[in-house]
């Protein structure tokens, strides 16, 4: 125990890692300064270089200082961290507050047999939610994870740890293939590749050989089809590899209490979360992928990863056949059973969706009739599109609630099926407009814990159902707190 | 996952009016196989009657500013002879703002003050309010993170205060309570939340000791 409480620093190679990042940021300005010099603006390039030099010096001093100031101590029930460049800050984080952690190993880390840890806490302050331990040896990381697991196990009175990990999901190449075909890679990739082919003449001294070749190809329909096919296949292959390097080796394993999500080829990462800390599951059916019944499955967790300043939901399966997803989920997270049949909303709901005012529609009508009545078809097309989308929206609003199931579906082109449990809901709001009151329907809003808040709104359900959900929610949460 | 078929009202929606009428009075729900009757206890506490006056002054200030901005724009439109459509849009906007102003100064405050209800019990905080759209929110007390009593200059003039209850997800305000009442409520909610948090941590401690 004494040895455990020792102050520990980051591995010194962290300085090198940070320096590399600084260098990466500085390369582009240096190139620009060089270009300025070549164009005869010697003074400007000199000023730019001096500025750059001061910036780099400041960064290096800052990095050395923050390495010097950084230390962490793993106490019995809490983690102590001291960090900061010129102003240091000491934080104590109770281990039980840590909801999930992610072990990331970039190429640099792997080269020196090091690793990094990111710990996520449940805090209202989003800036302090993530605790980073950016450069650790494998042993140190292992020790911290061990402490964490012991603490959470102790909390839930299970001294015996069953390390029976089962691999539930491994990404198949076929799924990547489906993903590539149904994604925007094709739409973006085809023009890029065809423009590249036509630009080859400018780049290489081929004396217009390629262009004449293309001209000859285009003149005959057979060779035109063949060349389009070739371009298509090339795009698919290239985007296949892009996706493979981004999501490749995606594996989900789970033991009785925890879920591990690993991914990556060059930079590998493993995300671990307790099953108890999962507040809900979202099955997302986005538009073109629905045709192939490919869905993506996400988890709603208490604290979400902050990555490059944007918050992302934890992805369980990035793209998977729906039937397979449901089968795996049933086995892996038995707390969230997926029920097939859900209640749809009624004719009244459709009516209410239809008469909902669309301000954009009014504005479009005004401008078209004011400026160009000859474009009368624009508002008509927009109106028809609006009606179709609203019918789709009404048809896809579905819900199901039972003793231990709560399943909500909403969305227009992309539908989300959210599965959650009564105890995991933070707030429930039933709202009724004047018209809804007259038609005996209501809108119900579920606030599921997450940062930022994750809301599910089910519009225009029968008031009886809404009130029953409200009562059931009260029953369940009362039971929870007693 | 072997559950008896639950009472789902959407299956009987053709009888919705009948069912809804029953439900609005006495609520029937399905409880572990046996039917039980339970009154849906709606919140009962009201806010201060001075709220009407307060909201009227607030709305007056707000809409005066909007009107000044709109009239300045209109004057500018004529002075600099802007395009015709801008003037039309401005007139429509001013008419819309005028209707809004009349509604929210003359009618809305009375109605809102009369319909605002809240209830604080050991288990839940319930809020019900709304003018044309009625909102009914239930927050379990265990989810409460903080509670504050705030008092702006207008509220202070009328010896009122408002209470803000924050959960992990969002925050809710009970507006325009009498000052003493607000401070009493703040204390009460804080106590309930504290007891709840202690109870839940005790429970996990007990589990650990077993």
């Amino acid at each position: 125990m004494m040895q455990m409480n020792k102050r520990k620093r980051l591995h010194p190679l962290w300085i090198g890692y940070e320096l590399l990042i600084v260098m990466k940021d500085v390369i582009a300005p240096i190139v620009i300064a060089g270009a300025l010099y070549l164009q005869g603006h010697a003074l400007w390039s000199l000023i730019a270089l001096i500025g750059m030099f001061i910036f780099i010096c400041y960064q290096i001093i800052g990095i050395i200082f923050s390495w010097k100031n950084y230390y962490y101590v793993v106490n019995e029930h809490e983690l102590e961290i001291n960090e900061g460049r010129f102003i240091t800050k000491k934080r104590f984080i109770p281990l039980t507050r840590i909801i999930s952690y992610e072990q990331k190993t970039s190429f640099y880390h792997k080269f020196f047999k090091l690793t990094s840890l990111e710990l996520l806490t449940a805090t209202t302050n989003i800036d302090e939610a993530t605790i980073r331990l950016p450069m650790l040896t494998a042993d140190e990381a292992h020790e911290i994870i061990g402490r964490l697991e012991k603490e959470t196990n102790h909390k839930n009175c299970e001294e015996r740890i069953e390390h029976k990990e089962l691999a539930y999901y491994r990404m198949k190449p076929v799924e990547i293939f489906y993903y590539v075909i149904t994604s925007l890679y094709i739409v973006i990739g085809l023009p890029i590749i065809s423009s590249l082919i036509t630009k080859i003449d400018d780049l290489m001294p081929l004396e217009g050989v390629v262009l004449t070749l293309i001209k000859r190809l285009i003149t005959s329909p057979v060779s035109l089809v063949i060349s389009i096919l070739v371009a298509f296949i090339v795009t698919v292959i290239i985007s296949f590899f892009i996706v493979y390097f981004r999501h490749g080796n995606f594996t989900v394993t789970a033991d009785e209490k925890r879920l591990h999500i690993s991914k990556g080829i060059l930079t590998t990462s493993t995300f671990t979360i307790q099953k108890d800390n999962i507040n809900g599951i979202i099955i997302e059916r986005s538009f073109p992928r629905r045709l192939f019944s490919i869905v993506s499955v996400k988890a709603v967790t208490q604290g979400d990863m902050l990555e490059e300043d944007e918050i992302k939901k934890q992805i369980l399966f990035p793209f998977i056949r729906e039937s397979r997803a449901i089968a795996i989920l049933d086995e892996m997270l038995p707390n969230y059973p997926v029920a097939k049949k859900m209640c749809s909303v009624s004719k009244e709901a459709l009516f209410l969706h239809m008469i909902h005012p669309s301000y954009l529609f009014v504005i479009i009508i005004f401008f078209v009739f004011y400026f160009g009545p000859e474009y009368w078809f624009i508002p008509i097309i927009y109106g028809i599109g609006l009606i179709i989308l609203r019918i789709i929206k009404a048809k896809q609003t579905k819900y199901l609630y039972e003793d231990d199931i709560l399943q909500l579906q909403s969305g227009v082109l992309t539908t989300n099926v959210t599965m959650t449990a009564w105890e995991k809901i933070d707030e429930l709001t039933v709202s009724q407009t004047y018209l809804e009151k007259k038609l005996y329907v209501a809108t119900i809003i579920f606030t599921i814990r997450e940062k930022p808040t994750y809301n599910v709104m089910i519009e225009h359900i029968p008031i009886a159902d809404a009130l029953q959900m409200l009562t059931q929610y009260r029953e369940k949460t009362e039971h929870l707190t007693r | 996952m072997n559950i008896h078929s639950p009472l789902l009202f959407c299956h009987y929606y053709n009888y919705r009016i009948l069912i809804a009428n029953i439900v609005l009075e006495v609520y029937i729900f399905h409880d572990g196989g046996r039917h039980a009757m339970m009154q849906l206890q709606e919140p009962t506490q009201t806010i201060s009657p001075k709220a009407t006056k307060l909201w009227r002054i607030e709305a007056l200030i707000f809409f005066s500013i909007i009107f000044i901005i709109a009239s300045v724009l209109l004057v500018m439109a004529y002075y600099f002879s802007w395009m015709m459509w801008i003037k039309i849009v401005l007139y429509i906007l001013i008419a819309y703002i005028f209707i809004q102003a009349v509604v929210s100064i003359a009618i809305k405050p009375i109605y809102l003050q009369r319909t605002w209800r809240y209830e604080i019990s050991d288990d839940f905080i319930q809020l019900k309010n709304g003018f044309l759209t009625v909102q009914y929110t239930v927050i379990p007390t265990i989810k409460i993170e903080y509670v504050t009593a705030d008092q702006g200059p207008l509220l202070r003039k009328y010896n009122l205060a408002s209470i803000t209850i924050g959960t992990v997800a969002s925050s809710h305000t009970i507006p325009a309570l009498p000052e003493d009442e607000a401070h009493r409520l703040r204390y009460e909610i804080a106590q309930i939340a504290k007891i709840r948090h202690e109870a839940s941590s005790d429970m996990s401690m007990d589990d650990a000791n077993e």
Side-chain angles (χ1 to χ4, degrees):
Chain A
M1 198 58 77
M2 279 313 289
Q3 194 240 340
M4 202 175 261
N5 290 342
K6 226 166 54 180
R7 280 183 182 189
K8 281 189 173 164
R9 283 186 192 287
L10 293 175
H11 198 277
L13 278 169
W14 180 76
I15 297 172
Y17 182 69
E18 288 295 300
L19 280 180
L20 276 182
I21 291 172
V22 171
M23 288 304 153
K24 202 181 80 187
D25 291 344
V26 158
I27 280 172
I30 283 179
V31 169
I32 292 168
L36 279 174
Y37 180 76
L38 286 181
Q39 289 200 337
H41 303 283
L43 185 69
W44 283 113
S45 69
L46 191 71
I47 291 170
L49 277 179
I50 289 171
M52 214 89 70
F53 182 73
I54 293 169
F55 174 75
I56 292 172
C57 283
Y58 173 77
Q59 288 288 335
I60 289 172
I61 293 167
I63 288 165
I64 290 169
F65 264 94
S66 55
W67 182 80
K68 200 176 149 286
N69 288 335
Y70 192 104
Y71 68 83
Y72 69 88
V73 185
V74 190
N75 292 325
E76 200 174 350
H77 294 297
E78 63 192 3
L79 186 71
E80 181 190 340
I81 283 188
N82 193 72
E83 61 185 346
R85 283 195 159 181
F86 302 113
I87 304 158
T88 58
K89 195 166 67 173
K90 195 180 263 189
R91 295 171 65 191
F92 291 89
I93 304 109
L95 292 181
T96 45
R97 292 282 281 180
I98 292 165
I99 282 168
S100 57
Y101 56 87
E102 186 165 13
Q103 186 173 359
K104 267 188 193 161
T105 315
S106 72
F107 192 68
Y108 182 90
H109 284 109
K110 215 176 275 178
F111 192 77
F112 293 106
K113 288 184 179 156
L114 294 166
T115 186
S116 77
L117 261 184
E118 274 179 24
L119 313 173
L120 258 131
T121 55
T123 343
T124 15
N125 187 349
I126 200 137
D127 296 326
E128 300 195 339
T130 317
I131 299 147
R132 289 194 173 81
L133 300 163
M135 191 80 46
L136 303 170
T137 61
D139 286 343
E140 285 167 341
H142 196 74
E143 194 185 295
I144 295 170
I145 290 171
R147 282 265 355 123
L148 267 176
E149 291 195 350
K150 210 177 154 197
E151 189 75 14
T152 44
N153 277 336
H154 179 68
K155 185 188 154 205
N156 294 321
C157 80
E158 264 181 49
E159 288 301 323
R160 53 186 180 86
I161 313 162
E162 281 184 38
H163 272 297
K164 212 177 75 181
E165 268 188 40
L166 283 171
Y168 284 99
Y169 170 73
R170 189 175 287 280
M171 188 184 287
K172 289 177 182 168
V174 185
E175 284 170 346
I176 300 180
F177 180 70
Y178 275 127
Y179 176 79
V180 165
I181 284 193
T182 53
S183 66
L184 285 173
Y185 285 106
I186 298 296
V187 184
I188 299 164
L190 263 183
I192 291 175
I193 281 176
S194 26
S195 67
L196 269 183
I197 291 168
T198 45
K199 285 279 159 59
I200 284 175
D201 280 338
D202 303 339
L203 296 174
M204 278 180 272
L206 287 173
E207 317 243 323
V209 175
V210 180
L211 205 63
T212 45
L213 200 75
I214 286 169
K215 271 179 187 156
R216 204 172 293 164
L217 274 176
I218 289 170
T219 44
S220 139
V222 179
S223 55
L224 178 69
V225 169
I226 290 172
S227 52
I228 288 176
L229 261 180
V230 168
F232 180 77
I233 290 167
V234 169
T235 321
V236 167
I237 289 170
I238 290 172
S239 29
F240 183 90
F241 279 104
I242 292 172
V243 178
Y244 180 73
F245 274 107
R246 203 183 280 170
H247 296 281
N249 272 345
F250 203 103
T251 322
V252 180
T253 56
D255 53 31
E256 264 176 25
K257 299 188 61 106
R258 285 179 194 82
L259 211 69
H260 311 273
I261 302 163
S262 346
K263 63 182 172 197
I265 304 289
L266 292 177
T267 300
T268 55
S269 74
T270 307
F271 176 84
T272 306
I273 187 166
Q274 276 189 71
K275 283 181 183 177
D276 292 344
N277 287 333
I278 293 175
N279 284 356
I281 302 289
I282 306 168
I283 298 179
E284 188 185 281
R285 298 195 189 98
S286 56
F287 172 59
R289 267 164 234 157
R290 283 164 74 171
L291 305 174
F292 298 81
S293 69
I294 296 281
V295 297
S296 65
V297 181
K298 292 169 182 171
V300 184
T301 58
Q302 273 181 333
D304 268 339
M305 275 286 166
L306 257 179
E307 204 165 81
E308 282 150 11
D309 287 336
E310 66 176 53
I311 299 126
K312 67 172 173 67
K313 292 195 189 71
Q314 192 56 50
I315 296 171
L316 285 184
F317 318 125
F319 20 89
I320 183 172
R321 285 198 88 84
E322 199 175 344
S323 50
R324 191 176 163 216
I326 290 170
I328 294 174
L329 279 177
D330 267 343
E331 224 175 289
M332 193 168 72
L333 295 162
N335 288 350
Y336 298 102
V338 186
K340 281 264 165 64
K341 221 175 174 188
M342 289 192 272
C343 291
S344 305
V345 290
S346 57
K347 283 189 230 95
E348 280 81 355
L350 187 64
F351 172 71
L352 282 171
H353 275 294
M354 283 299 169
I355 62 163
H356 196 271
S358 164
Y359 296 114
L360 189 62
F361 192 36
V362 173
I363 291 168
I364 285 175
I365 288 176
F366 175 81
F367 275 91
V368 165
F369 279 88
Y370 192 83
F371 286 111
E374 64 268 28
Y375 296 111
W376 51 271
F377 51 87
I378 291 176
I380 291 178
I381 291 170
Y382 183 78
I384 291 170
L386 209 63
I387 289 170
I388 291 170
L389 285 183
R390 283 176 176 191
I391 291 172
I392 293 173
K393 194 180 176 189
K395 289 264 176 262
Q396 286 178 346
T397 304
K398 287 177 182 176
Y399 61 97
L400 179 82
Y401 62 97
E402 279 178 23
D403 222 20
D404 50 359
I405 306 177
L406 189 58
Q407 196 166 312
L408 312 156
Q409 180 181 319
S410 62
V412 188
L413 288 178
T414 300
T415 58
N416 284 334
V417 182
T418 307
M419 281 152 289
T420 182
W422 293 105
E423 307 87 63
K424 302 284 188 186
I425 296 165
D426 258 2
E427 280 169 36
L428 204 68
T429 302
V430 175
S431 80
Q432 228 182 1
T433 60
Y434 182 73
L435 265 175
E436 281 183 321
K437 204 171 181 178
K438 288 285 165 235
L439 291 170
Y440 296 99
V441 293
T443 295
I444 191 160
I445 302 160
F446 299 86
T447 306
I448 302 164
R449 181 183 291 193
E450 200 196 11
K451 286 177 225 73
T453 330
Y454 180 65
N455 280 338
V456 183
M457 186 163 82
I458 304 295
E459 285 177 298
H460 315 318
I461 61 169
I463 180 68
D465 266 337
L467 288 180
Q468 201 187 7
M469 283 196 215
L470 205 71
T471 314
Q472 202 148 344
Y473 177 55
R474 280 163 52 155
E475 286 269 296
K476 285 281 174 183
T477 42
E478 218 168 11
H479 178 70
L480 174 82
T481 51
R482 258 178 200 157
Chain B
M1 217 191 81
N2 175 26
I3 309 156
H4 43 263
S5 172
L7 196 69
L8 280 180
F9 282 105
C10 64
H11 294 150
Y12 314 103
Y13 197 69
N14 287 338
Y15 310 107
R16 69 184 192 283
I17 294 174
L18 184 102
I19 291 169
N21 276 330
I22 300 166
V23 163
L24 287 175
E25 295 305 321
V26 176
Y27 190 62
I28 310 166
F29 66 98
H30 201 62
D31 178 33
R34 64 194 155 80
H35 290 269
M37 306 279 268
M38 181 185 143
Q39 291 270 314
L40 191 73
Q41 294 153 340
E42 298 239 332
T44 53
Q45 305 287 312
T46 53
I47 57 170
S48 164
K50 288 180 199 161
T52 320
K53 219 177 221 174
L54 186 84
W55 284 330
R56 276 192 173 148
I57 294 170
E58 276 175 2
L60 202 67
I61 295 169
F62 177 74
F63 280 103
S64 316
I65 293 167
I66 298 268
F67 261 117
I68 290 167
I69 293 169
S71 1
V72 166
L73 278 177
L74 201 64
V75 168
M76 277 168 80
Y78 276 100
Y79 191 78
F80 297 106
S81 49
W82 285 351
M83 270 172 289
M84 194 60 200
W85 69 267
I86 296 179
K87 289 173 196 165
I88 294 175
V89 169
L90 272 175
Y91 275 119
I92 294 171
L93 268 180
I94 287 174
Y96 178 73
I97 292 167
F98 184 74
I99 295 167
Q100 278 281 329
V102 168
V103 170
S104 40
I105 293 169
I107 308 163
K108 207 173 162 185
I110 304 174
Y111 201 84
L112 255 183
Q113 194 277 328
R114 276 191 203 153
T115 52
W116 234 108
R117 293 282 184 283
Y118 68 90
E119 180 86 63
I120 288 148
S121 68
D122 282 357
D123 296 317
F124 303 102
I125 289 181
Q126 297 175 61
L127 308 168
K128 194 175 181 183
N129 64 306
F131 174 44
L132 284 175
T133 305
V134 180
Q135 286 207 333
Y136 181 14
T137 305
V138 175
I139 311 159
T141 42
I142 195 159
K143 310 272 186 187
I144 293 172
E145 292 263 299
Y146 62 88
V147 54
T148 55
D150 327 305
Q151 203 177 32
L154 260 179
L155 283 164
R156 195 172 301 140
K157 187 170 174 285
Y158 287 99
N159 287 329
L160 298 174
S162 60
I163 278 192
T164 305
I165 301 156
T167 65
V168 186
S170 63
S171 71
H172 295 273
T173 304
I174 305 175
L177 291 164
E179 222 169 341
D180 307 341
E181 175 75 6
H183 288 294
R184 194 185 61 74
L185 266 182
R186 190 190 63 81
Y187 182 73
E188 195 182 311
I189 296 170
Q191 284 302 316
I192 291 170
K194 194 183 158 202
I195 291 162
R196 263 300 132 85
H197 283 293
E198 272 170 7
S200 68
S201 58
D202 279 352
M203 219 158 70
S204 58
M205 294 274 269
D206 289 346
D207 286 353
N209 292 336
E210 272 169 26

